[in-house]
Amino acid sequence: MTYSNHYASLRTTAILPLLALLLAGTGLLTGCQSNEPDDSFWVSRLRVESRLEPVVTDLTQPRFSWEIRSDERDINQTYYQLLVASNQDVIEADSADVWDSGRIKSDVSIQLPYEGPALKSRTTYYWKVKVWCKGKGFSVSPYMSWHTGLMQDTDWKAEWIGLDSVFAWEDTSKFSRLSARYLRRTVELPEPPEHARLYMVGLGLYQLYVNGLRVGGHVVAPAPTDFTQEVKYTTFELAPYLKQGTNVIGVVLGNGRFFNMRQHHKPWKVRTFGFPKLLFQMELGYEDGSSDYILSDTSWRVTADGPIRSNNEFDGEEYDATKELTGWLAPDYDDSAWLPVQVTSDPGANRRYFADSLPQKNEPKTPHGDLTLKQARRKAQLNEDMKVVLSRRPVAFLNKRPGAFILDMGQNMAGWLRIQVNGEKGRTVTLRFAESLNPDSTLYMDNLREAKVTDTYTLKGVGEELWEPAFVYHGFRYVEVLNWPGEPHIYQFLGQVVSDGFNTTGSFSSSNKLLDQLYSNAWWSVLGNYKGMPVDCPQRDERQPWLGDRIAGSWGESYLFDNQRLYAKWLDDIQQAMSQEGQISDVSPNYYNYYTDNVTWPATYFLVAQMLYRQYGDVYAVRKHYPSMKKWMQYMESKYLKDGLMTRDKYGDWCMPPESPELIHAKDPARLTDGTLIATAYYIKLLQVMQEFATLLGNNADKTAFAALAEKMTGAFQSRFYDKEAKQYGNNTVTANLLPLAFNLVPEADKQAVFDAICRVIEVDNKGHIASGVVGTAWLMRTLSSYGRPDLAYKLATNTTYPSWGYMIKKGATTIWELWNGDTANPWMNSQNHVMLLGDLLSWYYEHLAGIKSDPSTPAFKQIIMRPDFPDGLTFVKSYYYSSYGLIVSEWMREGFKLTWNVVVPHNTEAFVYIPAPKGQVYEGDTKADRAKGVSFVRTEGDRSVFKVKSGSYVFKVSQ
Ligand code: RAM
């Protein structure tokens, strides 16, 4: 059982009857605040620091959230009281011996921080919440517990162990081959312990075994960081695995990003951290109150002479089953041929800056992070572990020859292939992975650059052998299988889809098949590029956490997956990668050395923080990162602001459709948007975001300063780039006009004209096709819809001619390409599984097609704006989004003038519902809408009647 990474959703239906039962009482439904229990509503889905449960956290102020449920309408919290206790008896009696918040008048039911006395390490706390709702009594939730990790450095007794040397068969040159390290020790226990809590870090990657059983449902763990600054520990409760007598603990260590295969290749560019190592601290407690530790220390033994002969993320895994260490997880195994482990240095001691290894290239010296750190911080991993989230069988065998064939998985995916094979000892089966095929049905490998993406399995020859790799993953749709014994069968192959183990937050389907297929492509790309950090692609020799790929992405992705914890972790990665001067690394964690001082890639730092606040109500991320954000703003201002313009850019409107099909980047000046225009517009946007943050944190002085600079820069921007006559910006590209419009830099009176210029470039010059790259497309779809051209947005989303998302689909894509012309461009930079060209498409699906959007002034969907575009040609949308407050549903169907719209508004929130009909024609159920319980008419806005809708379920109808 793992704590911090174990994923158990409280959304199970099982909990609801239990809650109803617990809370059944004499409900007093009076009109005033009552202090009697009420069974018309109940509290469920308690969360500590978001949705992971049970949870281990080493945060000093974990945050609590809960959800209110009821079958009635219009349920609103008026007070809450949080109770935290040190044991079950106290909490069951509805009391608190650790912290009682007292009765607090508030309608907030998410992200409320613990404010009691300092929490102790390695302790279980119990909590519940008492909630009062308007016009009703109160309801008490069931209780939930959380566990604290090791909160202080001094809590750690274990030492790092490993083996800092290579074996004769290993190779540390460019295409390094390092075998997995197998570590073991036996443990004598006088009796089974009552608890055995393990805190561990296995670098780069680990698998844990106790008494022969694999522990935990995670794969490719832990989450990657700048290991010299911070490592993520995982907590397990191992008591159920342990017994009286001799127990065996085994750990397998893989390389991951820690021992990087490219280490001697480009030392000025790619970081490496050292040989794999383990930190292991198990704390045992017995019934009689005694305790004991089992630690990583010199009592462990190690070998690299096991079956995983080589493993790295880019080249693949080599597994030789004839070298299996049979019995190594049993007590009587003879490990005398193994070596004693070495106590190794802390990963933080290996701290070096790119500059230290730069003799070969003239790159700037870029010391980064906290230079005072003596050792890497050890932090509980709060973001979800990676898991096998889906499995799928191949759909076809292709190109079959004797012993060789290609498997088609039917979907471009990230993960690996599990095989079941029966053959003679010593035969080696080879698996090679690719996203697509050449015309002659061989694998298309040209776009993988130097990644070898090859797994090999050498059979031991004992009948059915089941194998899958431990420490690699690939991005692929096709697998070439070589040297397969006998006739292959589909059941012998299973594609394992590997991603962060998130909760799904949303779903979308519609009457348009292409729109749905595009959603599916996007979903697979988003899923495939979560790897404990958001990466650019899962297949070639890159797979880096580039910031710019998520300018708008994190927002749209939040409608698909509960990505709050991952992105909160990523902000920490970005902060840790910052240089002393205040530079942001374009790649964070900075496994690549790219400190290029542009504005657009670093902008993601700010926009992700804004997403966490607006979508999840996470003000803490904003508070934590505000000083670093401000530092970067000042750094850029002091270095690159000239005459009110931000003069530094690097990537332009990255991956704009080029003028000829084989180009990666456009060269035609008419297609390129001026770098100073982009950088200045984005910098002003960030000044706006900083004003929002400063307001949130009550920092008026900063707010005023940011506003003043924004005003000055907007003036400079206008005079430098705006053509008042033509009413267009720069060289009149979509992006040149779109950025000022989306960032509100255009004079009010000219907005429509500038918008018309955008539409003209798209409709006339580009014949109704997309004409922007990563930097512009981030704002495109929502701007087209908001300024009154949802039809044009819909056209762009459903186009099938080049360039368009639909074109990718027509060419057989099942994910999103890196380039609009991915089918014809140079393979050097041409992944078939990238998210960045999605821009704001996913947000547009939810906010403009489903019509589910959080009011910007009330974060986390406390107030919901439900305003679908209802574009012509689309007859229905079915969608839901599971917000922090609860489930939001929007399902609409149109037939001529008739509209039926099912709406669910979570309790303790309200929605503004925009219906395209005069007020008198709108019904809710069989009642005129404005007379229905929970509904009130607010105003008419254009062709829409706006109703305020209280929490509950509704069926709106319009018929003529
Ligand atoms: C490439 C990747 C990535 C992009 C950078 C700038 O390496 O495609 O997505 O952000 O370039």
Side-chain angles (χ1 to χ4, degrees):
M1 179 189 353
T2 143
Y3 278 133
S4 60
N5 308 304
H6 177 82
Y7 197 170
S9 164
L10 280 173
R11 278 183 215 165
T12 51
T13 45
I15 203 160
L16 294 178
L18 174 72
L19 281 160
L21 202 76
L22 274 171
L23 302 173
T26 50
L28 270 194
L29 298 180
T30 56
C32 59
Q33 187 68 50
S34 157
N35 230 349
E36 295 295 323
D38 190 318
D39 64 358
S40 65
F41 71 96
W42 61 98
V43 185
S44 83
R45 209 166 63 119
L46 305 184
R47 303 188 293 274
V48 179
E49 190 59 16
S50 187
R51 294 174 184 170
L52 215 64
E53 197 279 334
V55 67
V56 168
T57 176
D58 49 13
L59 294 178
T60 50
Q61 280 196 296
R63 305 191 292 272
F64 305 108
S65 303
W66 56 92
E67 193 180 314
I68 298 168
R69 296 198 176 184
S70 168
D71 297 331
E72 296 185 7
R73 289 179 179 174
D74 194 8
I75 303 285
N76 294 290
Q77 175 185 300
T78 45
Y79 295 87
Y80 72 84
Q81 181 172 13
L82 280 163
L83 303 170
V84 179
S86 62
N87 67 64
Q88 251 157 294
D89 293 342
V90 173
I91 204 73
E92 272 175 5
D94 293 354
S95 20
D97 59 355
V98 176
W99 180 54
D100 181 343
S101 70
R103 197 164 91 130
I104 311 274
K105 188 170 189 328
S106 168
D107 64 352
V108 179
S109 49
I110 60 166
Q111 305 261 8
L112 287 152
Y114 171 80
E115 282 171 352
L119 297 166
K120 297 191 205 115
S121 288
R122 50 174 85 78
T123 306
T124 303
Y125 291 93
Y126 301 83
W127 73 285
K128 58 169 52 169
V129 64
K130 196 167 171 182
V131 169
W132 286 260
C133 283
K134 198 161 109 205
K136 304 195 174 288
F138 65 84
S139 177
V140 186
S141 74
Y143 72 84
M144 177 187 176
S145 61
W146 87 91
H147 317 271
T148 51
L150 300 182
M151 320 268 288
Q152 320 287 342
D153 283 352
T154 49
D155 289 327
W156 286 93
K157 314 247 174 287
E159 299 178 286
W160 288 96
I161 57 172
L163 205 56
D164 278 354
S165 53
V166 286
F167 288 80
W169 62 87
E170 293 183 326
D171 178 359
T172 59
S173 64
K174 180 174 163 185
F175 292 102
S176 67
R177 296 177 70 256
L178 200 68
S179 304
R181 269 72 177 123
Y182 295 79
L183 287 78
R184 88 184 279 278
R185 68 158 287 174
T186 54
V187 179
E188 292 298 328
L189 297 182
E191 58 182 288
E194 212 171 49
H195 67 79
R197 199 154 296 160
L198 166 65
Y199 307 92
M200 79 171 274
V201 191
L203 297 179
L205 304 169
Y206 73 92
Q207 288 186 340
L208 168 67
Y209 295 87
V210 178
N211 290 330
L213 294 174
R214 170 102 188 264
V215 181
H218 57 276
V219 297
V220 210
T225 50
D226 172 353
F227 306 105
T228 67
Q229 297 199 57
E230 185 165 312
V231 294
K232 299 289 188 186
Y233 69 84
T234 307
T235 308
F236 298 97
E237 176 51 61
L238 293 184
Y241 294 83
L242 296 171
K243 56 179 203 274
Q244 186 178 13
T246 311
N247 295 265
V248 184
I249 297 168
V251 175
V252 189
L253 295 178
N255 301 324
R257 295 284 165 113
F258 196 72
F259 179 85
N260 196 312
M261 66 161 186
R262 310 297 182 197
Q263 60 178 349
H264 295 308
H265 178 39
K266 289 179 182 169
W268 62 89
K269 178 180 168 186
V270 182
R271 288 181 89 189
T272 188
F273 298 87
F275 290 99
K277 50 182 73 186
L278 171 69
L279 186 69
F280 184 102
Q281 176 158 328
M282 181 159 67
E283 303 187 357
L284 302 162
Y286 293 97
E287 211 178 345
D288 63 0
S290 60
S291 59
D292 200 1
Y293 285 103
I294 305 293
L295 304 173
S296 44
D297 54 21
T298 48
S299 64
W300 293 63
R301 294 183 74 78
V302 61
T303 185
D305 199 7
I308 301 181
R309 306 306 293 171
S310 174
N311 68 95
N312 70 57
E313 197 177 321
F314 304 101
D315 291 345
E317 191 159 307
E318 294 171 27
Y319 189 97
D320 183 349
T322 66
K323 304 282 290 180
E324 277 176 3
L325 303 160
T326 310
W328 76 288
L329 295 168
D332 52 0
Y333 180 75
D334 177 9
D335 61 12
S336 56
W338 293 32
L339 301 171
V341 294
Q342 296 165 349
V343 170
T344 66
S345 56
D346 184 278
N350 241 352
R351 196 95 196 277
R352 67 166 84 115
Y353 315 113
F354 293 116
D356 296 347
S357 50
L358 286 183
Q360 304 168 54
K361 226 184 168 196
N362 214 8
E363 292 279 341
K365 194 176 164 76
T366 55
H368 57 271
D370 179 356
L371 300 181
T372 63
L373 267 185
K374 296 272 183 301
Q375 63 171 39
R377 268 184 303 260
R378 297 152 188 187
K379 285 284 184 190
Q381 184 177 323
L382 298 179
N383 61 302
E384 290 78 356
D385 258 322
M386 280 202 256
K387 298 252 163 75
V388 172
V389 293
L390 278 174
S391 300
R392 50 187 297 138
R393 296 275 174 210
V395 295
F397 287 103
L398 306 172
N399 204 6
K400 249 179 158 181
R401 295 148 283 154
F405 48 90
I406 287 176
L407 295 169
D408 178 3
M409 302 308 299
Q411 171 64 52
N412 198 17
M413 53 177 266
W416 55 71
L417 188 73
R418 191 171 88 174
I419 58 170
Q420 198 173 327
V421 59
N422 194 333
E424 73 282 10
K425 183 175 179 184
R427 175 191 277 265
T428 297
V429 171
T430 301
L431 312 171
R432 286 202 311 157
F433 300 81
E435 294 180 294
S436 55
L437 298 177
N438 292 312
D440 65 354
S441 293
T442 53
L443 293 186
Y444 176 74
M445 310 284 286
D446 297 356
N447 69 339
L448 304 178
R449 302 206 289 230
E450 291 191 323
K452 293 187 174 175
V453 292
T454 305
D455 292 348
T456 63
Y457 179 77
T458 303
L459 280 76
K460 55 189 164 190
V462 294
E464 288 294 321
E465 298 176 38
L466 193 67
W467 178 77
E468 59 193 318
F471 300 127
V472 301
Y473 67 87
H474 309 287
F476 65 101
R477 171 173 171 169
Y478 299 95
V479 191
E480 180 186 62
V481 182
L482 298 175
N483 205 24
W484 189 259
E487 185 62 22
H489 298 280
I490 288 288
Y491 75 85
Q492 293 176 302
F493 306 96
L494 190 66
Q496 304 278 61
V497 180
V498 173
S499 180
D500 293 19
F502 296 125
N503 232 344
T504 290
T505 44
S507 143
F508 181 96
S509 63
S510 75
S511 59
N512 185 315
K513 287 216 160 56
L514 181 70
L515 211 57
D516 288 2
Q517 183 59 49
L518 175 53
Y519 184 85
S520 165
N521 284 38
W523 189 90
W524 279 99
S525 275
V526 169
L527 188 79
N529 283 300
Y530 282 133
K531 295 285 173 279
M533 57 184 172
V535 293
D536 62 339
C537 56
Q539 75 295 78
R540 68 177 175 222
D541 63 352
E542 184 160 7
R543 311 176 187 196
Q544 294 296 336
W546 286 95
L547 270 58
D549 297 35
R550 301 298 196 294
I551 291 174
S554 73
W555 192 298
E557 292 162 16
S558 73
Y559 286 110
L560 275 46
F561 300 106
D562 183 2
N563 59 16
Q564 182 189 178
R565 288 161 175 271
L566 176 77
Y567 277 108
K569 180 245 175 203
W570 201 36
L571 293 186
D572 294 346
D573 294 335
I574 296 172
Q575 188 181 42
Q576 285 167 24
M578 282 178 81
S579 77
Q580 291 299 299
E581 289 173 280
Q583 294 170 289
I584 289 177
S585 169
D586 298 355
V587 174
S588 304
N590 56 0
Y591 303 128
Y592 272 8
N593 178 18
Y594 271 99
Y595 289 80
T596 65
D597 281 356
N598 70 97
V599 179
T600 43
W601 264 234
T604 297
Y605 185 34
F606 301 72
L607 297 172
V608 168
Q610 189 187 44
M611 181 285 283
L612 290 175
Y613 173 61
R614 296 259 192 105
Q615 296 291 90
Y616 295 103
D618 183 358
V619 69
Y620 303 88
V622 174
R623 182 168 298 144
K624 184 173 183 184
H625 293 279
Y626 185 86
S628 323
M629 291 174 177
K630 189 172 158 187
K631 186 170 178 181
W632 179 84
M633 295 296 286
Q634 287 169 340
Y635 166 79
M636 292 300 287
E637 182 187 343
S638 66
K639 212 155 168 197
Y640 302 109
L641 191 74
K642 306 230 160 54
D643 304 324
L645 299 174
M646 189 50 70
T647 54
R648 175 86 173 181
D649 180 54
K650 165 84 179 168
Y651 300 111
D653 189 12
W654 190 247
C655 298
M656 152 85 183
E659 57 277 21
S660 65
E662 71 289 349
L663 283 179
I664 290 173
H665 295 297
K667 294 189 177 133
D668 173 10
R671 287 171 188 262
L672 302 179
T673 304
D674 186 296
T676 302
L677 185 154
I678 291 176
T680 307
Y682 261 78
Y683 192 87
I684 301 172
K685 170 74 186 173
L686 298 184
L687 286 167
Q688 295 166 356
V689 174
M690 286 304 277
Q691 287 173 63
E692 180 185 342
F693 292 170
T695 309
L696 205 60
L697 304 181
N699 190 336
N700 264 326
D702 275 9
K703 189 192 163 198
T704 312
F706 291 132
L709 183 56
E711 198 184 319
K712 180 178 146 203
M713 288 183 67
T714 306
F717 181 83
Q718 283 298 112
S719 43
R720 169 79 170 76
F721 295 111
Y722 191 48
D723 180 338
K724 284 192 193 124
E725 302 303 311
K727 301 215 185 311
Q728 65 193 39
Y729 286 83
N731 57 347
N732 195 32
T733 59
V734 167
T735 297
N737 290 315
L738 182 63
L739 300 183
L741 193 66
F743 303 162
N744 207 18
L745 314 182
V746 182
E748 203 55 44
D750 290 2
K751 281 185 172 167
Q752 191 59 47
V754 172
F755 181 67
D756 292 344
I758 295 171
C759 297
R760 245 187 344 262
V761 179
I762 294 175
E763 289 187 293
V764 182
D765 304 352
N766 290 281
K767 303 191 176 57
H769 289 87
I770 200 129
S772 45
V774 172
V775 165
T777 308
W779 313 95
L780 179 67
M781 300 296 279
R782 288 172 294 178
T783 307
L784 289 177
S785 270
S786 313
Y787 275 87
R789 290 299 307 274
D791 61 314
L792 188 54
Y794 186 65
K795 179 170 176 15
L796 293 184
T798 53
N799 267 342
T800 55
T801 43
Y802 176 79
S804 64
W805 296 290
Y807 175 76
M808 301 177 191
I809 293 171
K810 213 176 74 185
K811 291 287 173 178
T814 53
T815 40
I816 305 295
W817 294 345
E818 180 174 18
L819 303 173
W820 294 111
N821 52 334
D823 56 333
T824 53
N826 186 320
W828 178 251
M829 198 194 91
N830 198 345
S831 119
Q832 294 170 19
N833 197 355
H834 247 69
V835 296
M836 63 190 184
L837 285 186
L838 284 170
D840 65 351
L841 183 75
L842 287 169
S843 306
W844 177 79
Y845 266 80
Y846 279 85
E847 295 174 3
H848 288 273
L849 295 182
I852 298 175
K853 182 182 170 179
S854 182
D855 184 328
S857 61
T858 52
F861 297 82
K862 182 80 173 126
Q863 230 170 52
I864 306 156
I865 296 176
M866 304 192 73
R867 193 187 199 288
D869 285 352
F870 301 115
D872 282 345
L874 200 61
T875 54
F876 75 81
V877 165
K878 278 178 177 225
S879 182
Y880 73 78
Y881 169 64
Y882 216 116
S883 74
S884 299
Y885 280 94
L887 183 70
I888 304 170
V889 176
S890 172
E891 295 178 351
W892 57 261
M893 192 197 292
R894 271 185 127 188
E895 266 181 81
F897 291 108
K898 277 200 200 156
L899 169 73
T900 309
W901 188 3
N902 298 331
V903 166
V904 176
V905 180
H907 295 301
N908 207 23
T909 72
E910 61 186 20
F912 288 87
V913 175
Y914 290 69
I915 300 185
K919 166 188 162 196
Q921 288 173 19
V922 184
Y923 286 77
E924 194 285 305
D926 298 328
T927 321
K928 287 253 185 196
D930 56 347
R931 285 187 220 139
K933 179 168 166 47
V935 183
S936 55
F937 175 73
V938 186
R939 62 180 179 273
T940 301
E941 215 183 279
D943 64 345
R944 304 285 180 113
S945 298
V946 187
F947 296 90
K948 185 171 176 171
V949 178
K950 300 293 197 174
S951 69
S953 304
Y954 300 83
V955 183
F956 290 101
K957 285 183 190 150
V958 177
S959 49
Q960 263 188 339

